[in-house]
Amino acid sequence: MSDSRVSTMTFALHPRLAADTFLVGDLPLCRVLLMNDQRFPWLILVPRHAEIREIIDLTAPERSILMEEIASAATALKAATACHKLNVGALGNMVPQLHIHVVARSEGDAAWPGPVWGSGTAEAYAAPAAEQFLADLRHRLPGLRDA
């Protein structure tokens, strides 16, 4: 990152992301979160830089790292869920902080074949199911460390 940008030392997760997710852990660039909606296995990757809104705000090397981390998260999610399709996107219309959604989709899920956004009220994971899924994801994500 250029010297004019705020360092990762001031990184703070947007309150809405914090409220809607479980912490999976940290990859070299991104914090990995699990959306608290059991209808859709859904990871969110958040680069740990303050004030970043767009992928183009990252340096070229960081964009390369981001793509590898997206691929790693998608691979882990696909292995954990045996999903039919992976949806990957960086929308940011509701939360301005750069974050990338990696959503496992299956034919017949609650929103199939439409998008998951705006598809009704989230159904929170029960505590044991969340902990089991988090443990599985942590096992499948190489290079993941505690946040």
Side-chain angles (χ1 to χ4, degrees):
M1 297 200 48
S2 72
D3 293 337
S4 65
R5 292 212 206 131
V6 179
S7 75
T8 58
M9 298 300 292
T10 60
F11 168 77
L13 189 62
H14 189 280
R16 182 161 182 175
L17 291 175
D20 292 346
T21 63
F22 296 102
L23 176 64
V24 180
D26 283 344
L27 292 170
L29 177 66
C30 293
R31 173 137 312 151
V32 182
L33 308 167
L34 172 65
M35 181 64 100
N36 189 11
D37 188 347
Q38 68 177 353
R39 299 172 306 155
F40 312 107
W42 181 344
L43 295 176
I44 298 175
L45 281 70
V46 184
R48 291 185 319 279
H49 286 298
E51 305 300 322
I52 296 289
R53 290 180 172 254
E54 307 293 343
I55 291 171
I56 60 172
D57 293 337
L58 297 169
T59 65
E62 289 170 330
R63 289 192 300 268
S64 294
I65 293 167
L66 177 63
M67 289 306 298
E68 290 304 316
E69 291 184 2
I70 291 168
S72 181
T75 299
L77 194 56
K78 186 171 186 175
T81 65
C83 63
H84 174 76
K85 177 73 176 122
L86 291 163
N87 293 168
V88 177
L91 302 176
N93 296 341
M94 300 294 291
V95 174
Q97 182 176 42
L98 176 60
H99 61 287
I100 296 83
H101 302 268
V102 182
V103 187
R105 301 297 306 277
S106 295
E107 291 182 16
D109 70 29
W112 189 266
V116 296
W117 294 274
S119 63
T121 304
E123 295 177 15
Y125 284 94
E131 286 305 317
Q132 183 177 10
F133 194 40
L134 286 164
D136 188 23
L137 291 168
R138 288 173 180 138
H139 174 74
R140 294 176 188 276
L141 273 165
L144 190 72
R145 62 183 187 273
D146 291 339

